[in-house]
Amino acid sequence: MVCIVAEPAFAQKVPGLLTAEGIGVLQLNLGYRCNLACRHCHIGAGPERKEIMSAGTMKQVLDVLKSHPIPLVDITGGSPEMHPDLRELIEECIALGRRVLVRTNGVILLEEPYRSLISFYASKGVEVVVSLPHLDPHVTDRQRGEGVFSRVVEVLKRLNAAGYGQEGSGLVLDLAHNPGGAYMPASQASLESSYKRILRERHAIRFDHLFCLTNMPIGRYREYLKKTDNYAEYMAGLVRAFNPATLDNLMCRTTLSVAWDGTLHDCDFNHILGLPVNHGAPDHISGFDMEKLAHRRIVVGDHCYGCTAGGGSSCRGEIT
Ligand code: SF4
Ligand code: SF4
């Protein structure tokens, strides 16, 4: 269900129509299975979820990549590592000359049978984005589960040992931060500098960039806001912080998101809200049409305030 807030509705904030400007990133959501069940998960992922991308849908994705020069494949979930064909997918994308990025909670890379993925990612030059919501272990553990902070620290050390985040290695290691409560993230530049200093001093860990993500008021995070009676105030804060300067760089303008079942969305948030691409563009990978999709009109709702508040937010952090 789409979030409803008091006026003004997001669509009225956008001058003219919001349209895509090409497809530079194909984001693949491989499914909702995850080894964790974080309090703030907008997907509602967890160990009990069964949704997973089929071999047939994955083939359709690869066929699209073979015939269209989309430079970056951004793989997410749930926990994408839990898809049995992840390695094969990555190998095919690399063979096609594409950059590949995997978003991970990190913790799973300490578990069997996933441990060997660290050396696999390194051997393929896969870019890795690890979620580390907060530098305070208690805040991270409260959001993601007991002991998660120390396990993420351990996996970051292993990634560093494999060359990730080390100067000259070409192996990109980025971290993702999101607030632990009903508030927006602080400035990305200042947080990145704190993360770099503290992780280096306390744990000898190095990484490349920090992405600050605003929690989207959907999924399990929306339930949390409702349960703690913070939903209305959180939404009002996002509306107050609306920044028109974010509109040019919204990720939906250059990204197309493919859900586990092959439906196409302007972003992973629209996917979770059950809002496929619309306005005449094909809404399933089986009907992929570059011309129509690259210039599609984007489907917006009031959740889009989450991307346009303050410095803006996308899968790659601040956008202004
Ligand atoms: S936030 Fe990420 S790690 Fe946590 S349950 Fe959701 S998909 Fe899994
Ligand atoms: S939620 Fe964000 S990325 Fe998705 S359509 Fe709205 S503005 Fe674009």
Side-chain angles (χ1 to χ4, degrees):
M1 187 197 296
V2 182
C3 333
I4 304 297
V5 295
E7 294 295 317
F10 181 80
Q12 293 168 17
K13 291 278 195 177
V14 184
L17 302 175
L18 198 58
T19 53
E21 293 172 348
I23 303 175
V25 182
L26 196 67
Q27 187 170 66
L28 308 180
N29 187 311
L30 298 191
Y32 302 156
R33 277 186 78 198
C34 189
N35 55 325
L36 302 180
C38 305
R39 191 175 72 175
H40 289 41
C41 184
H42 72 268
I43 294 156
E48 76 292 349
R49 298 298 299 256
K50 303 277 185 261
E51 298 88 343
I52 192 167
M53 187 176 279
S54 69
T57 301
M58 203 171 272
K59 181 177 179 314
Q60 289 172 332
V61 167
L62 286 166
D63 286 346
V64 164
L65 286 168
K66 277 174 197 155
S67 41
H68 301 90
I70 299 170
L72 175 63
V73 182
D74 178 341
I75 303 177
T76 185
S79 198
E81 292 89 346
M82 295 178 95
H83 195 292
D85 299 330
L86 176 68
R87 287 175 195 248
E88 205 180 325
L89 172 69
I90 290 173
E91 276 169 347
E92 298 232 27
C93 292
I94 298 288
L96 289 170
R98 309 310 156 86
R99 276 172 60 207
V100 176
L101 179 156
V102 171
R103 297 180 186 277
T104 177
N105 59 49
V107 171
I108 198 163
L109 297 174
L110 295 180
E111 297 175 7
E112 288 299 352
Y114 310 107
R115 287 182 190 201
S116 59
L117 278 170
I118 292 180
S119 54
F120 174 75
Y121 290 160
S123 71
K124 300 294 171 192
V126 170
E127 298 170 34
V128 176
V129 182
V130 178
S131 254
L132 182 57
H134 208 282
L135 285 168
D136 180 337
H138 301 296
V139 179
T140 289
D141 287 3
R142 204 167 56 227
Q143 189 180 131
R144 304 234 130 161
E146 199 55 39
V148 164
F149 181 88
S150 61
R151 282 184 281 160
V152 173
V153 163
E154 175 58 27
V155 90
L156 292 176
K157 287 181 178 174
R158 291 187 189 191
L159 284 162
N160 276 175
Y164 275 97
Q166 308 289 5
E167 218 173 300
S169 71
L171 294 173
V172 177
L173 173 59
D174 294 329
L175 301 187
H177 156 90
N178 64 287
Y183 51 89
M184 286 171 54
S187 125
Q188 182 160 289
S190 66
L191 268 176
E192 180 177 278
S193 139
S194 304
Y195 264 67
K196 285 203 163 163
R197 181 175 54 77
I198 290 172
L199 287 176
R200 190 180 60 243
E201 287 174 3
R202 293 188 191 158
H203 307 287
I205 287 169
R206 293 183 182 277
F207 68 95
D208 293 294
H209 314 99
L210 179 74
F211 301 148
C212 285
L213 313 180
T214 299
N215 288 318
M216 291 298 276
I218 62 176
R220 204 177 282 143
Y221 184 64
R222 183 174 187 268
E223 288 166 25
Y224 157 78
L225 290 172
K226 291 266 185 191
K227 205 159 63 191
T228 55
D229 225 8
N230 278 309
Y231 180 72
E233 182 48 37
Y234 186 73
M235 286 305 302
L238 293 182
V239 173
R240 274 196 304 274
F242 172 74
N243 178 2
T246 59
L247 295 174
D248 282 347
N249 296 322
L250 290 172
M251 65 182 166
C252 46
R253 306 198 82 163
T254 51
T255 297
L256 181 69
S257 185
V258 188
W260 64 274
D261 62 357
T263 49
L264 301 179
H265 304 266
D266 297 302
C267 65
D268 209 30
F269 308 125
N270 282 8
H271 155 209
I272 298 307
L273 289 167
L275 299 171
V277 299
N278 205 333
H279 310 298
D283 65 1
H284 194 273
I285 191 78
S286 56
F288 189 90
D289 180 324
M290 185 56 132
E291 192 47 37
K292 286 186 179 161
L293 287 163
H295 307 290
R296 71 192 185 275
R297 182 175 151 197
I298 291 162
V299 177
V300 296
D302 291 340
H303 58 293
C304 298
Y305 280 115
C307 294
T308 53
S313 176
S314 82
C315 287
R316 304 201 53 98
E318 268 184 18
I319 56 178
T320 54

